[in-house]
């Protein structure tokens, strides 16, 4: 059984909803899931998981959230080599540039990022919810 940690930041709940749907997909696929907001997450949560999904909306000008998620990501950069990672988040008016940069950054650190990450405009609903559920399922395959 795979063990997935989902670590996320969400200001208005959209990325949080994605996190919950990803959790649902992974649980349906038989995984054990540890889901927590980044302010509660430790390096141990990262290390103890077979697979990790990190979530942040697009903030600032096309960057991940800077006060909590950015420092956490910096702290795990030296640990991601060879690790399967999911990256996900909600965005508003942009083109997803923050996610392209985030995926490139993690892959450059040696991570194995699933697809091109997963981005959803606003709150996931309908087909977008299914994308999140499937992302969770594929993370723990
Ligand atoms: C301070 C701030 C900066 C933002 N910057 C961007 C941005 O650069 N590009 C974008 O597409 N959306 C941007 N957004 C919109 C959010 O990414 C969007 O509302 C998202 O759904 C919020 O997710 P959350 O509910 O998980 O916080 C920004 C929102 C805020 C509050």
């Amino acid at each position: 059984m795979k063990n997935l940690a989902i670590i996320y930041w969400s200001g208005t709940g959209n990325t949080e909803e994605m996190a919950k749907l990803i959790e649902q997909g992974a649980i349906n696929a038989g995984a054990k899931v540890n889901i927590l907001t980044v302010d509660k997450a430790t390096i141990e949560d990262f290390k103890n998981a077979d697979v990790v999904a990190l979530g942040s909306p697009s903030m600032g000008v096309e960057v991940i959230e800077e006060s909590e998620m950015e420092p956490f990501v910096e702290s795990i950069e030296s640990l991601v080599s060879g690790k399967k990672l999911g990256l996900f988040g909600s965005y508003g008016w942009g083109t997803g540039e923050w996610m392209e940069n985030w995926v490139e950054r993690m892959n450059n650190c040696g991570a194995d990022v699933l697809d091109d990450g997963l981005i959803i405009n606003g709150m996931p609903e309908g087909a977008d919810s299914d994308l999140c559920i499937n992302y969770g399922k594929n993370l723990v395959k």
Side-chain angles (χ1 to χ4, degrees):
M1 183 170 68
K2 287 254 175 76
N3 179 328
L4 169 70
I6 304 176
I7 298 169
Y8 68 94
W9 185 96
S10 183
T12 57
N14 298 336
T15 303
E16 178 169 51
E17 183 63 19
M18 290 180 75
K20 289 179 179 167
L21 291 162
I22 289 168
E23 175 189 29
Q24 190 185 318
I27 288 174
N28 290 350
K32 185 164 177 279
V33 180
N34 177 24
I35 178 169
L36 64 174
T37 51
V38 67
D39 57 315
K40 305 263 180 354
T42 65
I43 297 279
E44 294 308 311
D45 292 308
F46 185 89
K47 283 188 185 162
N48 292 339
D50 303 313
V51 186
V52 178
L54 299 174
S56 169
S58 179
M59 295 291 284
V61 182
E62 296 294 331
V63 290
I64 58 172
E65 192 278 325
E66 290 170 286
S67 67
E68 294 177 342
M69 186 51 84
E70 175 59 35
F72 187 78
V73 168
E74 278 171 28
S75 76
I76 52 95
E77 271 185 322
S78 61
L79 304 171
V80 298
S81 186
K83 195 130 180 162
K84 186 168 178 183
L85 270 193
L87 298 178
F88 65 94
S90 174
Y91 68 100
W93 50 86
T95 58
E97 189 188 331
W98 103 103
M99 183 58 73
E100 286 169 25
N101 293 336
W102 198 10
V103 169
E104 189 183 354
R105 174 179 173 186
M106 293 294 104
N107 280 332
N108 283 344
C109 292
D112 172 19
V113 177
L114 179 63
D115 303 333
D116 296 318
L118 177 65
I119 67 173
I120 298 290
N121 188 230
M123 176 66 78
E125 287 168 330
D128 284 344
S129 299
D130 294 338
L131 289 176
C132 296
I133 291 169
N134 272 325
Y135 199 70
K137 187 175 109 190
N138 290 333
L139 273 171
V140 297
K141 252 193 197 161

